[in-house]
Amino acid sequence: GEVENGGKVEEYAAHRTCLRDAAFAGTVATPGRARRGDETRCAGRVVRRGAVRLRLESEEAAVPTPGGIGGPRGFGGSSDDDGRGGGGDSGEGRSEEEKSDLMSFLSKTGTSLEQVDPKVLSAFEAGRIPAYAVINYLKAYLNPISRVFMRLLPWTMSRILADDLFLYKVALEEGLGIFGKLSAEGEQRRDRFFTEIDFVLCNLLTAFLVDFALVFLPAPSLNLSGGGKDNFISRLNQMLPSNVFEKERFSLAQRFSGYLWTASKLFAVGFACCFFSAVLTNSIIYARSQLDPNFVQTNEMQNPLSVASMYATFLGISSSTRYQLVNGVEIHLFPALFGRMPKLVTEAATLALRLGNTFWGSQQWVMFATLTGVQKAGQ
């Protein structure tokens, strides 16, 4: 049928996006009728071929603005009902600068809102996330590697939307972690490196999982859900910040609770990874001693519960605090210092900051492991 634009637009097919883009740009789509197979021009560009018939009564036809007083659908703010700090500008509409940034990016890259994931677009229209989150999504979408990453790990999207350097930081931390671990393994095992490759791979796997958790859990995030989930953990993730320095409007109690919640998650991840690693290492030692009479055991079998508890405690206290501080510097200080400089400068500063944090954390772990008896002095 037809969609009459007489003060109300029903959301049929592609024309919802066309009308939203047109009104957002300060113009209205070309009047007339778009039939199946016709091209619909919107704000001076072709959006897509029409799937339904659309009639605009006049060039001045208004587009409804349920997202807020000041803009079309999706460009006003709304408060969340889950207790989390708001991502939009409730009741006032998006700022002109925010509108301009998004439209400039769409024009420069030749992208459109149709390419945005439905969940992201829905959260944006409801005012739960700001315009820069849509830009970050499109940046990741335009990169083949990050697009595959989002498809394989969709639960990382809330981090990618909040920080366009999130994947860079993941790659950076994993690279530093794997390089450091391989260097330590090579220095310790020397000629036995390849004959004990099973131990090496076990340790590398643990380091890989923990390094990812250290980047992911304290990283800033945006809430895509409107609330209503019954799962207790999901509700906590929605209500509390990932780190105490997030930009959204959180109370002091929420920030402190968020700090403890992130620390507890790192404790759980650290315990699971270290316990698995200790059990696997003990199993390899036992199997080798039974199958290879020439095998020389260089380290004693460890108590998985004891080692995992100590390692998890270190992650929950030291690592959680350090990585939340790192995120605070990246969220607030770096934009002030390097906001007007090329992105490469921010990436270099991030590299230096996280390299220093890794070195500092390694020194803390050696002291902690020695004091708790996990690692004996001289090892």
Side-chain angles (χ1 to χ4, degrees), residues 86-125:
D89 301 318
S90 179
E92 298 296 334
R94 307 282 178 176
S95 68
E96 291 301 322
E97 182 179 0
E98 194 175 12
K99 295 177 183 179
S100 176
D101 290 343
L102 180 54
M103 288 308 298
S104 175
F105 181 84
L106 294 175
S107 176
K108 185 185 301 184
T109 59
T111 54
S112 74
L113 295 178
E114 289 182 333
Q115 295 172 293
V116 180
D117 183 273
K119 291 182 179 179
V120 177
L121 190 58
S122 176
F124 176 59
E125 291 175 341

Side-chain angles (χ1 to χ4, degrees), residues 36-167:
R36 183 181 299 277
D38 292 340
E39 290 182 337
T40 302
R41 289 194 171 272
C42 186
R45 57 188 176 84
V46 176
V47 178
R48 63 179 292 180
R49 297 185 180 277
V52 299
R53 300 163 65 192
L54 173 69
R55 177 185 299 166
L56 297 178
E57 295 298 336
S58 69
E59 293 187 6
E60 302 301 323
V63 178
T65 60
I69 297 175
R73 176 177 173 86
F75 294 94
S78 66
S79 60
D80 294 336
D81 58 1
D82 57 7
R84 186 179 173 92
D89 301 318
S90 179
E92 298 296 334
R94 307 282 178 176
S95 68
E96 291 301 322
E97 182 179 0
E98 194 175 12
K99 295 177 183 179
S100 176
D101 290 343
L102 180 54
M103 288 308 298
S104 175
F105 181 84
L106 294 175
S107 176
K108 185 185 301 184
T109 59
T111 54
S112 74
L113 295 178
E114 289 182 333
Q115 295 172 293
V116 180
D117 183 273
K119 291 182 179 179
V120 177
L121 190 58
S122 176
F124 176 59
E125 291 175 341
R128 290 192 295 272
I129 60 176
Y132 75 78
V134 179
I135 295 177
N136 288 344
Y137 175 87
L138 289 171
K139 286 180 180 178
Y141 179 83
L142 292 173
N143 186 311
I145 297 177
S146 57
R147 184 163 65 243
V148 171
F149 188 92
M150 287 194 298
R151 289 179 180 176
L152 294 177
L153 303 173
W155 40 271
T156 63
M157 190 178 298
S158 62
R159 264 66 175 177
I160 295 174
L161 297 180
D163 183 4
D164 62 341
L165 289 180
F166 172 73
L167 295 181

Side-chain angles (χ1 to χ4, degrees), residues 207-287:
F208 180 86
L209 295 175
V210 170
D211 286 339
F212 182 83
L214 286 172
V215 181
F216 177 81
L217 292 177
S221 64
L222 291 173
N223 180 29
L224 295 179
S225 171
K229 292 186 177 181
D230 296 329
N231 186 282
F232 176 72
I233 294 179
S234 297
R235 292 291 295 173
L236 282 179
N237 287 332
Q238 291 172 23
M239 294 173 60
L240 302 177
S242 301
N243 67 77
V244 296
F245 300 104
E246 283 207 37
K247 288 183 177 180
E248 292 187 41
R249 296 183 292 273
F250 292 103
S251 66
L252 184 61
Q254 281 180 306
R255 294 183 184 277
F256 180 71
S257 299
Y259 169 82
L260 296 178
W261 178 233
T262 298
S264 66
K265 288 188 288 186
L266 280 173
F267 179 93
V269 170
F271 185 90
C273 289
C274 191
F275 183 84
F276 168 78
S277 177
V279 170
L280 185 57
T281 300
N282 289 346
S283 300
I284 293 174
I285 292 175
Y286 177 78

Side-chain angles (χ1 to χ4, degrees), residues 12 171 176 321:
Y12 290 143
L176 290 174
T321 302

Side-chain angles (χ1 to χ4, degrees), residues 6-52:
K8 180 180 180 182
V9 178
E10 298 295 338
E11 297 178 2
Y12 290 143
H15 298 293
R16 172 179 61 149
T17 302
C18 176
L19 290 172
R20 180 176 57 241
D21 286 354
F24 184 45
T27 63
V28 179
T30 304
R33 181 173 297 181
R35 301 178 185 276
R36 183 181 299 277
D38 292 340
E39 290 182 337
T40 302
R41 289 194 171 272
C42 186
R45 57 188 176 84
V46 176
V47 178
R48 63 179 292 180
R49 297 185 180 277
V52 299

